[in-house]
Amino acid sequence: MKPIQVGLLGIGTVGSGTYNVLLRNEEEIRRRAGRSIRISMVADLDVARAKSVVGSDVEVVADARQVIANPEIDIVVELIGGYGIAKALVMEAIAAGKHVVTANKALLAVHGTEIFAAAQAKGVVVAFEAAVAGGIPIIKALREGLSANRIQWLAGIINGTTNFILSEMRDKGLDFDVVLKEAQRLGYAEADPTFDIEGIDAGHKVTLMSAIAFGIPVQFDRAHVEGITKLAAADITYAEQLGYRIKLLGITKRRDTGIELRVHPTLVPAKRLLANVEGAMNAVVVHGDAVGTTLYYGKGAGSEPTASAVVADLVDITRLHTADPDHRVPHLAFQPGQLAATPVLPIEDVVTSFYLRLQVADQAGVLAKITGILADRNISIDALLQRESAEGESKTDVIILTHDTREGDMNQAITAMQALPTVLAPIVRIRKEELS
Amino acid sequence: MKPIQVGLLGIGTVGSGTYNVLLRNEEEIRRRAGRSIRISMVADLDVARAKSVVGSDVEVVADARQVIANPEIDIVVELIGGYGIAKALVMEAIAAGKHVVTANKALLAVHGTEIFAAAQAKGVVVAFEAAVAGGIPIIKALREGLSANRIQWLAGIINGTTNFILSEMRDKGLDFDVVLKEAQRLGYAEADPTFDIEGIDAGHKVTLMSAIAFGIPVQFDRAHVEGITKLAAADITYAEQLGYRIKLLGITKRRDTGIELRVHPTLVPAKRLLANVEGAMNAVVVHGDAVGTTLYYGKGAGSEPTASAVVADLVDITRLHTADPDHRVPHLAFQPGQLAATPVLPIEDVVTSFYLRLQVADQAGVLAKITGILADRNISIDALLQRESAEGESKTDVIILTHDTREGDMNQAITAMQALPTVLAPIVRIRKEELS
C-alpha cells in the first residue's frame, strides 16, 4: 500500500524528533500501522537549516501553504506554535481536507472550539496527544482508556520547567530567582520563561484535559492561573515539616455546581507518588468513579518524547484513515453536540484546604485573634505550627493548615487577619490537595 | 440510534461491576460512544443470583450458548475465566460473528494465537484491556499510545495479591506464611492462592504485554515464572539496607538475540516510583526508544476497576463498530502477518544483576574463596555487605550485589560456591533491576 504522506510545518526541536523517529522506527511503525508513514514535505522559514535535518528525498519549502496545497499530502503536522499564523494554517489545512496533528496547546486551549468544529464539518481529524505532557499518552487515556468513568477530578504536574525549579528549590533550599537562572543556564527554562513560570502553559494543558474529561468546550479564559514566582523557600521548608511537598499543579474537578479549572502551587502529601515526581518529569493523576485513582508518568517535553506523541497520532490516523468520520474517536472524547454547558466555577467558589503563613508579633493574644477570625467564618483548622521566636526577636511565623474551605470565605478571613496590627507582613496562602 | 446490545457470560465480581458501571454512567458513556451500550442478556449457571444483580429488563439464562446464538447481541463479554469452557465459548462467539471482550488473561496467554487468528479471519474484535492491570489502560498505551516507539523493556507490578503480601512483609517484618494467612483473611488472597503467589497470573499478564510490545505471538510456555513463596524476611531487610525494595515483577526485554520474558522477585532501587507502589496497587513501567521511561499506575483488580477496562473496550468497539476490519487497531498492536519470529530466550541467557545471600562460617579466607569463584567467571561485584557475627556465633551472612551477569554464568558460580565447606546453607539468589 502507498505510504501515508505527511507534511511538516516547522522543523525545530519536535519536528526534527518526529522526522528522526519516523525514519529510525519506520519498519516497526509500518508493522503496527499497516502502512508506511513518511514525511515527504517540510515547510520552514529557514530552508537551509531544514534541509540539513531531512534527507534529500524530502521537499523543503519556505511557504507552509505549499504543503497544504499539495494534494499528495494526507496529514499536516503543525509544529509552529502560538496563536497567529499557526491558527490560520491549521484552519486552511482543515479546509483543504487534510488531517491535522499538532502539539500546540496554546492554540487549542484558546481556539479549540472553532478548530474542532471546522474539523468535524470537514470530516477530518485534529489530533493533539503531543499538546499535553509530551510522550505520556494521557489524552488517549482520558478519551478512550477511561471512557467507562464519570471522571471526578484530575491533577497534573504538566510543566517540566516549573517542576524542575521547585525540585531544585527544595533540594538545595534556594530561592526562586536563583534557581530560575540556573534552569535557564541548563536549558530547562527559556530566555523568556513567562509562559512556564506564570502557569500559563500548564493552564493551556489542563484546559484541554478538562474538556475531554468532562465533555465541556475548551475555555482557557475561564481558567484560574497562578505561577510559582512568588513562592518562598521558607514555605517549601514549612510544608516539608508538615509532611507535604509543593508542586505546581493543573487541577480540574467536577463539583455539583460546575467545574473547577485552575493552576497554582499546591501542597501535596509527601507520600503520594505525584509528590515524588522530580525534576523535569510530568505526571497526571486521574480519578474516575469506577477505576479509582490512576497515574500516568513520563517525560513531558523534549524532542523525541514529544515526537513519540506526534507519531502515535499519525499511526492512529493511518489505522483509521478510511473509517467513516462518524465512527472515529471524537476530538474531545465526547460526541460533537454532546458537550455539556456545565459552567467553569469562579475561583471564589473553588473548595480546597489551605496552608497559611502569618508573620506575627510575638505577644499574648495573637493566636486567639487569628483563630477567632477563622472560627467566625466556619473555617476549621487541621494543624497549626508556631515557630519558636529566636532570642531577642519580637516576631514569629505561624503556619496554619485548614480543612476544606470555600475560597471566597478564605479571602474574607485573610483580609480580616491582614488588618490585625499584630500581623506584620502579607499573609502567604497556598492551596492544599490531599489527592486521595 | 439503536443501543449496542451486550451479552455477558458470567456475572460474578467483574460482571456485576460491568453491569453497574454501564447503568450508572449510561448517559456519560452514550455521550462518548455516540450510542447507548446495554447489557441485554446474561448467562450464568446461578440464574437466581444473576437475576438478583440485574434489572428485570435483562434476560438471564443458564446456557451461555443462548447468548451467543442471539442475533440481537453485538458483543459478547466473557468473564467466566479459565481455559476450558471459556475457550469453547469465545471461539463459538467469534464463529457467530460477535465481537468479544474478555478479562481472561490465562486463556489469551495460552491460546491467544488461535483465538486472535480466528477473530481476524472472521473480521471481529477480541479486546482484552481488563486482562492486564485491571483499570489501568496499559494495553491501549502499548498498542496505540506508544506506537511510535521501539519498546526496549517493560516491567510491572501486575499482581495485587503478591504486592500486598510483599508490602506487609516489609512493613511488619513478618514472614511470607504469616502474611499470606492475613491476606486470605482480608480477601486479598484466594483460598487457593497458587496462581498468584507462584507468579503464574503475573506470567500470563506479562506474556500478553510482551506480545503487543514487541510484535511476537503470545507464548506463555516460554515464560520463566517464579513466585514469592521462598522469600525470607531477612532478604527484604538486607535489600532495604542496600537501598532496594523487593517486588514481584513481570519483566520483558528486547535483547539482540531475542526477548526476555520472566516473572520473579526483583530488587528495585527504593527511589524508583515503581518501588513505592504499595499494597494491592499495580503499576507498569514501559521504556521506549523515543519516549524514554513512562509509568502507568492504578488498581489492578476489583469489581469496578476491572469493569472500567471492560467498558472501555465496549466503547472502543462501539465507536468503530462499522469500521472496515482492516482499519481497526490490530489485536496484538502489530498487523497480523507482521508478527516477528524473534525467539524468547531461555532463562540461562537472561542478563540481570543479582543479590546473593550466603550463610558462611565466620573464619579467615571465606570471602577470598567466594570472590575468587565470581572473578573466575567474570562476574563483577557492585557491593558487598558482611554482617558482623553476633557474640559467640560461628557463622554470618554475606550479601553480594553483582553487576550485570548472564544467568547461566551465575548458576555455575552458585554451584561452585555452594560446594564450599564454608558455605553453610543454600545460597539465596534474587535478581535485581535498575529500571533506569
Side-chain angles (χ1 to χ4, degrees):
Chain A
M1 207 183 284
K2 198 165 144 295
I4 285 276
Q5 309 276 347
V6 176
L8 217 58
L9 310 187
I11 187 157
T13 308
V14 176
S16 312
T18 302
Y19 180 78
N20 292 334
V21 168
L22 277 173
L23 197 67
R24 186 177 69 232
N25 293 344
E26 183 174 10
E27 161 72 6
E28 194 98 351
I29 290 166
R30 190 189 51 72
R31 285 174 58 211
R32 288 194 175 104
R35 285 174 78 171
S36 290
I37 301 174
R38 282 206 194 128
I39 292 177
S40 50
M41 199 169 181
V42 170
D44 199 291
L45 291 177
D46 190 341
V47 171
R49 192 181 47 83
K51 280 190 171 161
S52 75
V53 174
V54 300
S56 57
D57 55 329
V58 179
E59 187 182 356
V60 179
V61 296
D63 179 6
R65 292 192 165 91
Q66 279 185 260
V67 174
I68 293 170
N70 184 341
E72 295 295 309
I73 296 293
D74 302 298
I75 309 175
V76 170
V77 177
E78 184 274 304
L79 297 171
I80 296 168
Y83 320 93
I85 181 71
K87 186 189 170 197
L89 293 173
V90 164
M91 293 301 282
E92 287 172 36
I94 291 168
K98 311 293 188 194
H99 300 293
V100 174
V101 173
T102 177
N104 192 337
K105 45 254 171 195
L107 175 62
L108 294 180
V110 175
H111 299 292
T113 301
E114 181 184 351
I115 291 167
F116 294 125
Q120 194 67 37
K122 196 74 190 178
V124 298
V125 176
V126 174
F128 54 98
E129 184 64 80
V132 181
I136 308 172
I138 183 64
I139 298 298
K140 183 171 281 284
L142 286 168
R143 202 170 47 187
E144 302 167 42
L146 302 178
S147 57
N149 291 267
R150 202 168 149 85
I151 292 173
Q152 311 287 10
W153 55 264
L154 65 82
I157 296 170
I158 45 182
N159 180 274
T161 304
T162 46
N163 202 53
F164 174 82
I165 291 174
L166 292 177
S167 296
E168 289 286 296
M169 286 175 73
R170 186 176 80 86
D171 281 358
K172 303 183 178 162
L174 297 172
D175 272 315
F176 172 77
D177 296 332
V178 180
V179 178
L180 174 60
K181 285 206 179 68
E182 172 76 358
Q184 286 172 317
R185 200 180 57 77
L186 292 171
Y188 285 112
E190 313 220 13
D192 177 359
T194 311
F195 257 47
D196 294 316
I197 63 177
E198 296 295 357
I200 299 163
D201 175 70
H204 290 146
K205 292 167 179 167
V206 73
T207 296
L208 289 172
M209 289 197 287
S210 180
I212 60 176
F214 302 125
I216 58 172
V218 286
Q219 36 199 330
F220 175 66
D221 55 339
R222 301 296 180 85
H224 174 86
V225 175
E226 285 175 40
I228 61 168
T229 53
K230 290 177 208 139
L231 210 57
D235 294 310
I236 294 177
T237 307
Y238 285 131
E240 193 87 12
Q241 289 169 15
L242 292 159
Y244 292 86
R245 303 230 172 116
I246 299 181
K247 294 292 184 185
L248 183 71
L249 297 187
I251 299 174
T252 185
K253 252 184 219 193
R254 183 198 296 277
R255 295 262 311 285
D256 288 344
T257 47
I259 304 290
E260 297 185 357
L261 179 57
R262 48 197 168 95
V263 173
H264 50 70
T266 316
L267 272 77
V268 180
K271 65 186 170 195
R272 299 268 179 268
L273 289 184
L274 193 65
N276 293 283
V277 170
E278 300 292 353
M281 300 303 283
N282 279 203
V284 180
V285 177
V286 184
H287 187 90
D289 67 342
V291 77
T293 299
T294 57
L295 176 144
Y296 309 82
Y297 165 91
K299 284 184 184 150
S303 175
E304 292 213 352
T306 310
S308 173
V310 169
V311 174
D313 280 343
L314 293 174
V315 172
D316 269 5
I317 295 173
T318 302
R319 279 170 166 167
L320 296 170
H321 195 52
T322 59
D324 168 5
D326 289 344
H327 288 90
R328 296 200 192 107
V329 178
H331 292 116
L332 289 176
F334 290 76
Q335 301 289 328
Q338 294 289 338
L339 296 193
T342 322
V344 173
L345 298 171
I347 189 70
E348 291 73 24
D349 285 340
V350 160
V351 175
T352 65
S353 51
F354 285 90
Y355 161 102
L356 304 175
R357 173 163 58 90
L358 299 91
Q359 195 181 95
V360 298
D362 193 11
Q363 62 189 59
V366 174
L367 265 189
K369 285 215 172 104
I370 291 169
T371 54
I373 288 172
L374 293 172
D376 286 349
R377 283 156 189 86
N378 284 315
I379 298 172
S380 101
I381 294 174
D382 181 30
L384 193 148
L385 177 77
Q386 177 166 355
R387 194 173 61 79
E388 213 175 337
S389 56
E391 192 76 40
E393 235 186 350
S394 60
K395 60 188 181 183
T396 186
D397 282 346
V398 172
I399 313 296
I400 295 172
L401 299 185
T402 75
H403 286 295
D404 274 357
T405 305
R406 207 185 132 268
E407 178 135 345
D409 298 337
M410 180 52 78
N411 289 343
Q412 288 185 7
I414 287 175
T415 304
M417 292 188 291
Q418 195 71 68
L420 294 173
T422 46
V423 171
L424 307 175
I427 295 169
V428 172
R429 178 269 303 273
I430 308 176
R431 299 174 194 87
K432 172 167 106 39
E433 294 281 349
E434 290 299 316
L435 301 183
S436 61
Chain B
M1 206 183 284
K2 198 166 143 297
I4 285 277
Q5 310 278 343
V6 177
L8 217 58
L9 310 186
I11 187 157
T13 309
V14 178
S16 312
T18 302
Y19 180 79
N20 292 333
V21 169
L22 277 173
L23 197 67
R24 186 177 69 232
N25 293 345
E26 182 173 11
E27 162 70 7
E28 195 98 352
I29 291 166
R30 190 189 52 72
R31 287 174 59 213
R32 289 193 174 104
R35 285 173 78 172
S36 290
I37 300 175
R38 280 203 198 132
I39 292 177
S40 51
M41 199 170 180
V42 170
D44 199 292
L45 290 178
D46 190 340
V47 170
R49 191 181 50 81
K51 280 190 170 162
S52 75
V53 175
V54 299
S56 58
D57 55 328
V58 179
E59 186 181 357
V60 178
V61 296
D63 179 7
R65 292 192 165 92
Q66 279 185 258
V67 175
I68 293 170
N70 183 340
E72 296 295 310
I73 297 293
D74 302 299
I75 309 176
V76 170
V77 178
E78 184 275 304
L79 298 171
I80 296 168
Y83 318 94
I85 181 70
K87 187 191 169 196
L89 294 173
V90 164
M91 293 301 282
E92 287 172 34
I94 292 168
K98 311 293 189 194
H99 300 295
V100 174
V101 173
T102 177
N104 193 337
K105 44 255 171 194
L107 175 63
L108 294 181
V110 175
H111 298 293
T113 302
E114 182 184 350
I115 290 168
F116 294 126
Q120 195 65 39
K122 196 74 190 178
V124 297
V125 176
V126 174
F128 55 97
E129 183 64 80
V132 182
I136 309 171
I138 182 65
I139 297 297
K140 184 170 282 284
L142 286 168
R143 201 169 48 188
E144 302 167 41
L146 302 178
S147 57
N149 292 267
R150 201 169 148 84
I151 291 174
Q152 310 288 10
W153 55 264
L154 64 84
I157 295 171
I158 46 181
N159 180 273
T161 304
T162 46
N163 201 53
F164 174 82
I165 291 173
L166 292 177
S167 295
E168 289 286 296
M169 286 175 73
R170 185 175 80 87
D171 280 359
K172 304 184 178 162
L174 296 172
D175 271 316
F176 172 77
D177 296 331
V178 180
V179 179
L180 173 60
K181 285 205 180 68
E182 172 76 356
Q184 286 173 317
R185 200 180 58 77
L186 292 170
Y188 284 113
E190 312 220 15
D192 177 359
T194 311
F195 257 47
D196 294 318
I197 63 178
E198 295 295 358
I200 300 165
D201 175 71
H204 291 146
K205 292 166 178 168
V206 73
T207 296
L208 289 172
M209 290 197 288
S210 181
I212 60 177
F214 301 125
I216 58 171
V218 287
Q219 37 199 327
F220 175 65
D221 56 337
R222 300 297 180 84
H224 174 85
V225 175
E226 285 175 39
I228 62 168
T229 54
K230 290 177 208 140
L231 210 57
D235 294 310
I236 294 177
T237 307
Y238 283 132
E240 194 87 12
Q241 289 169 15
L242 292 158
Y244 291 87
R245 302 229 172 119
I246 299 181
K247 295 290 186 188
L248 183 71
L249 297 187
I251 299 173
T252 185
K253 250 184 219 192
R254 184 198 295 276
R255 295 262 311 285
D256 288 344
T257 47
I259 304 291
E260 296 184 358
L261 180 56
R262 49 195 167 96
V263 174
H264 50 71
T266 316
L267 272 77
V268 180
K271 66 185 172 196
R272 299 269 178 268
L273 289 184
L274 193 65
N276 293 283
V277 171
E278 299 292 353
M281 300 303 282
N282 278 202
V284 181
V285 177
V286 183
H287 188 89
D289 67 343
V291 76
T293 298
T294 58
L295 176 143
Y296 310 82
Y297 165 89
K299 284 183 183 151
S303 175
E304 293 211 353
T306 311
S308 173
V310 169
V311 174
D313 280 343
L314 293 174
V315 172
D316 269 5
I317 294 173
T318 302
R319 281 169 165 166
L320 295 170
H321 195 53
T322 59
D324 168 3
D326 289 345
H327 289 89
R328 295 200 193 107
V329 178
H331 292 116
L332 289 176
F334 290 76
Q335 301 290 327
Q338 294 289 338
L339 297 192
T342 323
V344 174
L345 297 171
I347 189 69
E348 290 72 24
D349 285 341
V350 161
V351 175
T352 66
S353 51
F354 285 90
Y355 160 102
L356 304 175
R357 174 164 58 90
L358 299 90
Q359 194 182 94
V360 298
D362 193 10
Q363 61 188 61
V366 173
L367 267 188
K369 286 216 171 102
I370 291 169
T371 54
I373 287 172
L374 293 172
D376 285 348
R377 283 156 188 86
N378 284 316
I379 298 172
S380 100
I381 294 174
D382 180 31
L384 194 149
L385 177 78
Q386 177 166 356
R387 193 173 63 80
E388 211 174 338
S389 56
E391 192 76 41
E393 234 185 352
S394 59
K395 60 189 182 184
T396 187
D397 282 346
V398 173
I399 314 295
I400 296 171
L401 299 185
T402 75
H403 286 295
D404 274 356
T405 305
R406 206 186 134 269
E407 179 137 344
D409 297 337
M410 179 52 78
N411 289 343
Q412 287 183 8
I414 286 175
T415 304
M417 291 188 291
Q418 196 70 69
L420 295 173
T422 46
V423 172
L424 307 176
I427 295 169
V428 173
R429 175 267 305 273
I430 307 177
R431 298 174 193 88
K432 172 167 109 34
E433 293 281 350
E434 290 299 315
L435 302 181
S436 61

